[in-house]
Amino acid sequence: MLRILVVARVSDPRPGKQDERSVEDQEHRIRVWIADNIKGPCEIEVFASSGGGEWIDRTAHRELCEKVASGKYGLLVTEDLGRILRRIHAHVFAEECVDYGVRLVALNDHVDTDEPGWQDHSIFSAWHHERSNRDTSDRIKRAHRSRFKNGGCAAIPIFGYIKPPGAKSDSEWKKDPEAEPIYREWFERLDRGQSFAEVADWLNAREIPTGPYAQSERWDSRMVGRVTRNALLKGVRLRNVRESWRDSRGKYRTRPADPSMLLEREVPELAFVEPEYYDRVIKKIDDRNAKYRNGRAGRKAGPRKRTRFPGRMIRCGICGRGYVFGGHGQKEHLICDGARQYACWNGATVDGPLSGKRIIEAVLEAIESLPEFDSALLEEVRAEADRLDDERAGKIELLDRRAEDLNRKLDRLVAFIVDGKTSDRIADEIERHEQQLKEIEAEKQRLRDEPRGRIEIPSIDELKRLARSSIESLMTDDPDFCRFMQKLIPSIVVFPHRLCDGKRIVLRAKIRLRLASLIEDARGRAVLERPLERILTVDLFKPPQREAFREKVMALRRSGMTEREAAKACGITVTAAQYAAKLQRMMDELGLDDAHVPLTEPPDDCDKHCRHRHPRYRFDPLPGAGEV
């Protein structure tokens, strides 16, 4: 009994792609050939699959190779080698069939491994399929480029656009009027510094649909990023921004296309955002996210996801790395990321909610103690306003001169081309000059948008009220609260301390508080940044009993009370009062005013903090570690 394996395949059986009946047609033709050419009893098994023929890692292709290697089949028949695999790998598969004693017949390619010289037909067929695919791809690309230049190739619509059935060009598209205010606030939020994820949360909270062709019904950061960077929002249709390429496994991927391939088409009637404002917001987003981009030199170490306060804000004063949640298996405790990597000996943790509460209390206390502005400071602010106005006018004038110089250079380059001369370098120079002109115009617009004239400084009472209302109105786990605190407190650096009598290691924070960030006027913020800056010291721990009652116990003892009477008045045991007095005596011997002393090196008498004894430990501080 001859066992025959019939191989049939279609690339994409989805509706509108390829007809599923193609597999049945292939099978029917092969059965006719078998009936005409194979004499004697036989058993036919059909192996039908779908997927790209150039992809050699397909599961179906691996199964086919296993069937060939099983030794159960004497003949494999297919319509052509492309139904098995494309490229030179089709010829390699034919050679594997010969190795396992399986006769391979490809009807259209005239390949029969039982006939001499079949290798020539096999190699030629693989080359023919490769060339046909390339020619077809080039033909489709040429057609699409031509249609795009004539107003066609209108892609699938994103949120806010209405594409009537059968529409072939942008002139038939319409804007959804309800999307106008949404896109306006969308870009205002990005301009204020919100992330794509926060904009996605806002869209989901308002139950804004994701678009007619979106696979998900909820917005996420990637979807918001894709829509934001779609130039159609500023009235420009782009094509060939990216190009596809085939890797060694036959899988098609995309990458940024060569700039010379880019095609643009102006569609101002479909713009939701002014082009200048759109470019300015996109540049601000790129500059803000550049440090998180993979593969960029100088990328800062830090989490890319949102986190609750005070996470992502605390840095270790020993190694300079950030603190992360999950210290010692406790999800509410923060620990130095360097300690987790055995690059720092500071393994002390802080309670996240407790430290956040103490930091907020310290900030509010510092705000309440602000003095009134004196007349000298106000006079300095007015003088600074005049200086900034003069400086801005000088910058605009300098930018105008640069723009005039660039325009003269462009005129000379264009005249060079008009004279019939050409050069790739000339084209690159024109593109570079035009890009510089766009950047100059954006910078001039930013300078014009800045407030001018007299700087309006709110009173100290107004600043206090604004700070209290902002802190009290936001929850500590709200991302907006974390962003507000990052502006108010740009730096929180913690240092390990312990009582002078030893034992537990705790963390004390030094905080740089910039109250000028509460002022809306950028010039006012710049002038008052130094006068309203404070360095605060905050204990991010609960003091032990002997330290918490030390001053009170000693005051009662000095008033004439015995230790027992002082302990009773404080509500503690006599032993606790004795420990408090002992701690005070030790402070007096050492000449200390503060019971907690900073640690500058890992302790040898604390078994809970022994990262420095691990074989993997290599102390590796970051530049600027310990700076507040």
Side-chain angles (χ1 to χ4, degrees):
M1 178 70 68
L2 176 64
R3 299 192 65 180
I4 303 175
L5 186 61
V6 174
V7 179
R9 181 187 63 83
V10 292
S11 297
D12 193 344
R14 290 180 298 175
K17 298 294 183 179
Q18 287 184 296
D19 195 343
E20 288 184 343
R21 292 176 297 179
S22 174
V23 172
E24 299 175 1
D25 295 339
Q26 295 173 48
E27 179 185 350
H28 175 72
R29 184 186 175 192
I30 293 171
R31 286 184 180 274
V32 171
W33 181 89
I34 292 174
D36 294 340
N37 293 272
I38 302 300
K39 306 302 181 183
C42 62
E43 179 181 337
I44 299 175
E45 179 181 339
V46 178
F47 184 83
S49 64
S50 62
E54 297 177 341
W55 189 14
I56 62 176
D57 287 347
R58 285 182 295 120
T59 302
H61 179 64
R62 289 198 297 268
E63 293 177 0
L64 178 61
C65 292
E66 291 173 359
K67 287 181 177 292
V68 170
S70 65
K72 297 179 181 179
Y73 306 94
L75 175 64
L76 186 152
V77 188
T78 185
E79 191 176 43
D80 57 60
L81 289 179
R83 298 299 182 181
I84 299 174
L85 205 61
R86 295 191 185 275
R87 302 190 290 160
I88 195 64
H89 300 281
H91 175 70
V92 174
F93 177 81
E95 290 184 329
E96 290 179 356
C97 290
V98 174
D99 291 343
Y100 290 109
V102 179
R103 176 188 177 190
L104 184 147
V105 176
L107 305 181
N108 294 346
D109 296 331
H110 306 291
V111 174
D112 186 345
T113 56
D114 273 5
E115 296 181 0
W118 66 267
Q119 294 90 344
D120 299 337
H121 294 286
S122 175
I123 293 175
F124 181 80
S125 297
W127 170 80
H128 174 72
H129 292 312
E130 177 75 7
R131 189 191 65 176
S132 298
N133 275 5
R134 186 175 63 254
D135 290 346
T136 302
S137 174
D138 292 342
R139 185 181 69 252
I140 293 173
K141 290 177 181 178
R142 287 194 300 269
H144 284 179
R145 281 196 293 268
S146 177
R147 292 174 189 172
F148 183 84
K149 293 178 180 178
N150 294 325
C153 288
I156 58 176
I158 59 176
F159 164 74
Y161 293 97
I162 301 173
K163 181 181 180 182
K168 299 295 184 181
S169 65
D170 290 328
S171 60
E172 302 174 76
W173 282 33
K174 298 179 181 179
K175 292 195 303 183
D176 186 355
E178 297 182 358
E180 288 273 5
I182 295 173
Y183 273 121
R184 185 165 53 250
E185 185 170 354
W186 181 325
F187 273 78
E188 287 175 357
R189 286 175 173 267
L190 293 174
D191 196 13
R192 293 197 301 267
Q194 288 196 3
S195 64
F196 290 150
E198 289 172 310
V199 174
D201 292 342
W202 168 72
L203 292 170
N204 291 327
R206 293 193 56 180
E207 299 182 353
I208 305 299
T210 55
Y213 292 93
Q215 296 181 355
S216 173
E217 296 181 356
R218 290 183 59 81
W219 294 90
D220 58 24
S221 59
R222 292 187 177 183
M223 192 183 302
V224 171
R226 285 196 301 269
V227 174
T228 300
R229 298 182 185 280
N230 193 324
L232 187 61
L233 297 180
K234 68 172 182 178
V236 178
R237 174 78 77 179
L238 301 179
R239 186 170 183 83
N240 294 341
V241 177
R242 300 184 68 84
E243 65 176 352
S244 62
W245 63 284
R246 187 182 65 195
D247 62 16
S248 60
R249 298 178 302 151
K251 192 72 173 177
Y252 278 87
R253 306 182 184 278
T254 64
R255 61 188 176 193
D258 189 281
S260 61
M261 299 175 58
L262 181 66
L263 300 177
E264 295 187 16
R265 188 171 66 223
E266 300 288 338
V267 281
E269 67 277 5
L270 297 180
F272 278 107
V273 185
E274 290 293 328
E276 295 79 9
Y277 180 63
Y278 176 90
D279 293 337
R280 191 161 70 249
V281 172
I282 293 298
K283 186 176 185 304
K284 184 181 291 188
I285 293 172
D286 291 341
D287 294 342
R288 190 167 63 231
N289 295 337
K291 60 185 178 182
Y292 300 117
R293 196 167 299 156
N294 290 330
R296 288 186 66 89
R299 173 181 172 184
K300 289 175 121 181
R304 301 180 66 176
K305 66 179 182 180
R306 292 174 294 164
T307 185
R308 56 193 184 278
F309 179 77
R312 197 171 57 179
M313 296 179 63
I314 299 179
R315 288 187 297 111
C316 176
I318 302 300
C319 71
R321 291 177 176 82
Y323 265 63
V324 295
F325 280 101
H328 299 327
Q330 303 176 81
K331 65 178 183 179
E332 296 296 336
H333 283 234
L334 295 109
I335 188 172
C336 172
D337 196 34
R340 296 198 310 173
Q341 302 170 15
Y342 293 95
C344 178
W345 55 263
N346 178 23
T349 63
V350 293
D351 187 324
L354 174 64
S355 58
K357 179 182 178 182
R358 287 183 175 258
I359 291 172
I360 293 172
E361 291 174 351
V363 169
L364 289 174
E365 183 179 350
I367 292 172
E368 293 297 336
S369 63
L370 283 175
E372 291 290 340
F373 295 130
D374 56 21
S375 57
L377 179 61
L378 296 177
E379 184 62 31
E380 180 184 348
V381 169
R382 284 191 288 270
E384 182 67 13
D386 296 336
R387 188 190 67 79
L388 291 174
D389 287 342
D390 294 339
E391 184 179 335
R392 178 171 49 251
K395 288 181 179 178
I396 293 177
E397 184 178 353
L398 178 62
L399 290 173
D400 286 336
R401 288 200 297 268
R402 287 182 57 193
E404 292 176 2
D405 183 55
L406 286 173
N407 281 319
R408 285 194 296 269
K409 291 180 179 179
L410 281 173
D411 291 339
R412 289 196 294 269
L413 292 172
V414 171
F416 181 84
I417 295 176
V418 170
D419 291 340
K421 304 173 184 178
T422 181
S423 169
D424 293 338
R425 184 177 178 183
I426 295 297
D428 294 340
E429 284 294 307
I430 291 176
E431 183 179 356
R432 186 171 64 86
H433 290 342
E434 289 179 343
Q435 181 62 31
Q436 290 178 354
L437 279 175
K438 289 181 180 179
E439 294 175 357
I440 289 174
E441 289 300 323
E443 180 64 15
K444 286 167 60 177
Q445 186 62 42
R446 185 189 67 80
L447 292 172
R448 293 191 191 103
D449 292 342
E450 286 184 357
R452 61 187 64 196
R454 184 177 179 182
I455 297 179
E456 297 294 336
I457 298 179
S459 64
I460 288 295
D461 292 336
E462 178 64 19
L463 283 177
K464 294 178 180 179
R465 185 198 63 77
L466 180 62
R468 284 195 300 266
S469 61
S470 299
I471 291 175
E472 294 171 359
S473 63
L474 297 171
M475 298 174 60
T476 55
D477 57 352
D478 192 327
D480 289 336
F481 177 78
C482 194
R483 174 170 284 105
F484 171 77
M485 295 301 290
Q486 284 175 334
K487 292 180 179 179
L488 199 62
I489 310 173
S491 177
I492 304 177
V493 183
V494 295
F495 299 89
H497 287 68
R498 71 189 309 189
L499 288 174
C500 58
D501 61 357
K503 299 186 180 179
R504 189 166 70 104
I505 297 177
V506 294
L507 294 175
R508 177 173 287 175
K510 286 191 177 296
I511 300 174
R512 184 179 296 276
L513 176 62
R514 288 182 176 170
L515 298 171
S517 63
L518 298 173
I519 301 175
E520 295 184 1
D521 193 323
R523 300 172 302 165
R525 287 198 302 270
V527 174
L528 296 175
E529 181 175 353
R530 290 299 181 186
L532 292 182
E533 186 174 271
R534 302 286 187 274
I535 300 296
L536 309 179
T537 300
V538 183
D539 290 339
L540 305 182
F541 56 90
K542 292 181 179 179
Q545 192 180 48
R546 63 187 183 281
E547 166 61 13
F549 290 95
R550 175 180 56 80
E551 293 183 356
K552 189 174 181 180
V553 168
M554 298 311 298
L556 294 176
R557 289 297 307 277
R558 285 193 292 269
S559 67
M561 286 189 180
T562 63
E563 282 186 345
R564 187 175 297 278
E565 291 171 341
K568 185 176 181 181
C570 294
I572 58 177
T573 63
V574 177
T575 304
Q578 292 172 346
Y579 280 136
K582 180 181 178 181
L583 178 61
Q584 182 62 51
R585 289 193 298 271
M586 184 175 293
M587 290 175 58
D588 295 338
E589 292 174 2
L590 298 174
L592 300 176
D593 296 327
D594 186 355
H596 284 92
V597 294
L599 292 177
T600 57
E601 57 184 18
D604 293 328
D605 59 343
C606 186
D607 293 335
K608 287 187 176 181
H609 298 271
C610 50
R611 295 262 170 175
H612 57 288
R613 301 175 190 168
H614 198 281
R616 290 170 52 192
Y617 174 76
R618 296 291 184 275
F619 184 53
D620 182 24
L622 298 179
E627 297 179 1
V628 182

